[in-house]
Amino acid sequence: MRILLSQIMYNRNLSARQVAKMTGLSKSTISRIMNEEVSPTADTLELLAKGLKIRITDLLESDYK
């Protein structure tokens, strides 16, 4: 499963700093998720989805539908 945060941010022309402000997560956390250095927890995915006003499933790419 891949997290599509960097793609969503690119499509919306958002920086890590902007997403951090929108979600309440740190800029370093956003960067680490974007660079696939860490896998976000369910709570983090929820914060991202709320802040970006999308569904959690919009953040996920999986071969299993």
Side-chain angles (χ1 to χ4, degrees):
M1 178 170 34
R2 196 172 87 109
I3 305 300
L4 302 174
L5 180 59
S6 57
Q7 182 180 340
I8 292 166
M9 289 172 61
Y10 176 81
N11 291 341
R12 294 183 177 195
N13 197 29
L14 294 170
S15 68
R17 176 190 260 175
Q18 290 170 309
V19 174
K21 286 184 180 181
M22 295 166 73
T23 62
L25 297 167
S26 71
K27 183 179 166 236
S28 64
T29 297
I30 300 300
S31 295
R32 291 175 69 200
I33 294 168
M34 286 174 48
N35 295 324
E36 298 180 8
E37 295 172 9
V38 297
S39 295
T41 64
D43 289 338
T44 300
L45 288 172
E46 186 172 21
L47 289 172
L48 287 167
K50 278 184 183 179
L52 294 167
K53 295 180 174 43
I54 59 175
R55 295 173 293 161
I56 289 177
T57 55
D58 294 336
L59 287 164
L60 307 174
E61 177 182 81
S62 175
D63 292 336
Y64 303 100
K65 306 287 181 199

